[in-house]
């Protein structure tokens, strides 16, 4: 029911890569709406909190079975300077309250987002503002990427003067059965290490609670053996 405060109701986070129309009215993924409010009804309005401490009252509207942020949403976009090409993540604090995290030019604080490319061997560029000044192109760098407290080890290499994730991303894609076009959000938490959140093409966060931990551990052993052989 809409008033419940259980942890399951406060999930999932959802995201949107904004188009021009999203500056005025923004769609809530139907999967997220169903988990938040059920299939019969939703609230008439919600509160949206921004990182700078502002709170906005935004009303919802329904069209063809879908819910949208409408009246009041343009106040949010104008305040944050959101426009076509920006990326926004909504984290439900409860059933009628959301924390909004905007990504401008692909970056928000120590986080950045990207699409999952069609070829897993592609180079995933890490924005310069995310990297510590101590990064060096002269040494091999290994990043630990955490997904639901499971560690994956991914190589960081340089190409054309840019750093990016390479070897090891393919294991994440294969094990988690990720599809091209889903959204990846990397958040740096220590040195070369990152947390990773994955959002499906529908914009809803995946939790991967059924990931086989033993398989992840096997990947760790295999990967470290591979790195040892390279050295």
């Amino acid at each position: 029911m809409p008033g419940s405060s259980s942890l399951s109701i406060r999930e999932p986070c959802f995201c949107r890569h904004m188009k021009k129309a999203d500056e005025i009215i923004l769609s809530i993924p139907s999967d997220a709406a169903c988990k938040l409010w059920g299939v019969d009804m939703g609230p008439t309005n919600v509160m949206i909190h921004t990182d700078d401490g502002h709170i906005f009252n935004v009303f919802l509207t329904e069209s063809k079975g879908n819910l949208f942020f409408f009246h009041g949403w343009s106040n949010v976009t104008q305040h944050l300077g959101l426009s076509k090409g920006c990326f926004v993540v909504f984290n439900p604090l409860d059933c009628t309250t959301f924390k909004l995290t905007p990504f401008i030019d692909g970056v928000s604080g120590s986080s950045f987002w990207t699409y999952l490319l069609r070829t897993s061997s592609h180079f995933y560029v890490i924005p310069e503002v995310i990297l510590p000044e101590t990064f060096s192109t002269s040494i091999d760098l290994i990043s630990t990427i955490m997904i639901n407290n499971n560690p994956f080890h991914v190589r960081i290499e340089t190409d054309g003067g840019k750093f990016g994730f390479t070897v090891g991303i393919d294991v994440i894609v294969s094990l988690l059965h990720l599809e091209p076009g889903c959204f990846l959000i990397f958040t740096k938490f220590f040195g070369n290490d990152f947390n990773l959140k994955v959002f499906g093409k529908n914009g809803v966060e995946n939790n991967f609670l059924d990931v086989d931990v033993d398989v992840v551990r096997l990947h760790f052993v295999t990967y470290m053996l591979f790195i040892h052989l390279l050295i």
Side-chain angles (χ1 to χ4, degrees):
M1 58 184 291
S4 174
S5 61
S6 69
L7 290 176
S8 62
I9 291 295
R10 291 202 291 269
E11 296 180 355
C13 296
F14 57 92
C15 68
R16 177 77 172 176
H17 188 201
M18 292 180 61
K19 301 177 181 178
K20 183 64 178 178
D22 294 327
E23 299 175 25
I24 305 299
I25 182 170
L26 186 138
S27 175
I28 301 171
S30 57
D31 289 346
C34 286
K35 291 181 179 179
L36 284 163
W37 304 306
V39 296
D40 296 326
M41 67 179 68
T44 58
N45 65 295
V46 298
M47 308 304 293
I48 293 182
H49 295 234
T50 59
D51 288 335
D52 59 5
H54 284 73
I55 301 175
F56 294 86
N57 185 17
V58 177
F59 288 83
L60 304 186
T61 188
E62 186 270 342
S63 177
K64 298 180 180 179
N66 295 316
L67 284 173
F68 297 82
F69 294 124
F70 190 29
H71 292 297
W73 171 245
S74 60
N75 295 333
V76 179
T77 61
Q78 292 171 15
H79 173 73
L80 296 176
L82 300 177
S83 59
K84 177 182 178 181
C86 290
F87 188 78
V88 288
V89 175
F90 297 87
N91 178 25
L93 303 179
D94 58 44
C95 289
T96 57
T97 309
F98 295 86
K99 177 67 179 295
L100 171 61
T101 300
F103 287 71
I104 309 297
D105 296 327
V107 175
S108 178
S110 59
S111 301
F112 70 96
W113 81 276
T114 185
Y115 284 116
L116 177 66
L117 304 175
R118 291 191 176 277
T119 303
S120 61
S121 61
H122 278 182
F123 189 79
Y124 288 83
V125 174
I126 305 172
E128 291 184 8
V129 295
I130 299 294
L131 301 175
E133 295 180 358
T134 54
F135 264 51
S136 171
T137 60
S138 62
I139 60 174
D140 290 327
L141 293 174
I142 304 299
S143 173
T144 298
I145 294 180
M146 301 296 297
I147 305 174
N148 276 20
N149 296 318
N150 292 317
F152 293 84
H153 298 274
V154 177
R155 190 179 181 89
I156 297 178
E157 299 181 8
T158 58
D159 184 12
K162 296 182 181 295
F163 281 95
F165 297 118
T166 56
V167 179
I169 287 289
D170 56 331
V171 175
I172 295 175
V173 171
S174 177
L175 182 61
L176 303 183
H177 305 291
L178 303 185
E179 297 181 354
C182 68
F183 305 95
L184 308 177
I185 298 181
F186 295 92
T187 301
K188 187 168 72 68
F189 65 90
F190 181 76
N192 307 334
D193 299 337
F194 290 78
N195 283 309
L196 172 60
K197 286 187 175 183
V198 179
F199 292 74
K201 291 188 289 186
N202 62 353
V204 179
E205 182 184 3
N206 296 325
N207 57 37
F208 303 114
L209 295 178
D210 57 349
V211 171
D212 190 333
V213 176
D214 289 336
V215 173
V216 174
R217 289 171 179 166
L218 177 60
H219 160 62
F220 172 80
V221 173
T222 303
Y223 189 81
M224 295 312 294
L225 176 60
F226 169 72
I227 293 300
H228 177 72
L229 292 174
L230 284 180
I231 296 174

